[in-house]
Amino acid sequence: EPLSKIYIKIFENEKFYLHFILFVNIIFLMLSILLTFYISKFLFPNFPEILRKLLVISIFLIPLNFYFYLSFFKEPIIVFSFLILIFYFSFFYKRKIEFFYLLIFTLILILNFELIMVTKHPYFAIYFAIFLIINFIIFFITNSLKEKILVLIQTFLIIII
């Protein structure tokens, strides 16, 4: 378990192991809410802001979903990783690709793929295929040769690493 290795490095005994896992899952829940909110801005740009916030919060606070994040399953990490991929696509879709943002997202995606490899290895191929499809779409949407080269470099860097 990746969380147990982190826990052992931080704490000396197993007294707060339950609290640690719940804390990490709550962080994943909050970050998932933020990512979903940004994705909803991309999907529904004309939707009123307050309704968008209420919709996203109501989705995540459904009792089954809330239980899902407060349990000891690895699926919150998988959902969070998938939301990062969708956030990456929504961030660069029809937007000028800048080197700084692409570099940050390259590092985030590398960490995302490492997280998937550690938690649920069988999902890595699916997530990597989704990443390649997203970069394929972004490559053909961009107009500038510089942006296309940046997307190709990012794809090759992630494939190599």
Side-chain angles (χ1 to χ4, degrees), residues 118-157:
V118 169
T119 56
K120 288 268 193 171
H121 182 72
Y123 287 91
F124 177 75
I126 297 167
Y127 278 63
F128 197 72
I130 292 170
F131 166 73
L132 290 177
I133 291 169
I134 288 171
N135 268 6
F136 183 74
I137 292 170
I138 291 173
F139 179 81
F140 282 108
I141 286 176
T142 58
N143 296 327
S144 151
L145 180 64
K146 176 187 167 193
E147 292 175 357
K148 289 184 180 201
I149 290 172
L150 285 174
V151 170
L152 283 177
I153 289 172
Q154 182 203 34
T155 306
F156 289 128
L157 274 175

Side-chain angles (χ1 to χ4, degrees), residues 3-48:
L3 292 179
S4 64
K5 291 178 185 176
I6 295 171
Y7 179 83
I8 290 170
K9 289 182 182 179
I10 296 174
F11 300 106
E12 293 177 8
N13 57 14
E14 297 180 9
K15 186 176 179 181
F16 299 107
Y17 191 69
L18 173 71
H19 297 75
F20 177 74
I21 291 178
L22 288 175
F23 174 73
V24 170
N25 282 348
I26 292 293
I27 289 175
F28 279 127
L29 175 67
M30 289 189 287
L31 290 175
S32 296
I33 289 172
L34 290 174
L35 287 175
T36 307
F37 180 70
Y38 182 81
I39 293 166
S40 70
K41 277 185 176 180
F42 168 73
L43 292 176
F44 311 112
N46 297 329
F47 208 63

Side-chain angles (χ1 to χ4, degrees), residues 64-116:
L64 185 62
N65 199 4
F66 201 62
Y67 168 75
F68 180 71
Y69 274 93
L70 293 179
S71 64
F72 299 108
F73 299 122
K74 296 179 183 177
E75 280 72 18
I77 297 172
I78 294 169
V79 171
F80 179 72
S81 297
F82 185 68
L83 286 173
I84 287 177
L85 288 174
I86 296 173
F87 177 70
Y88 167 72
F89 176 70
S90 64
F91 190 82
F92 287 118
Y93 184 77
K94 293 191 176 180
R95 180 186 283 190
K96 186 177 185 302
I97 298 174
E98 298 176 19
F99 178 74
F100 178 72
Y101 291 123
L102 197 67
L103 181 67
I104 289 173
F105 271 104
T106 303
L107 294 174
I108 290 171
L109 288 171
I110 289 171
L111 291 174
N112 189 27
F113 289 132
E114 288 295 324
L115 188 65
I116 288 296

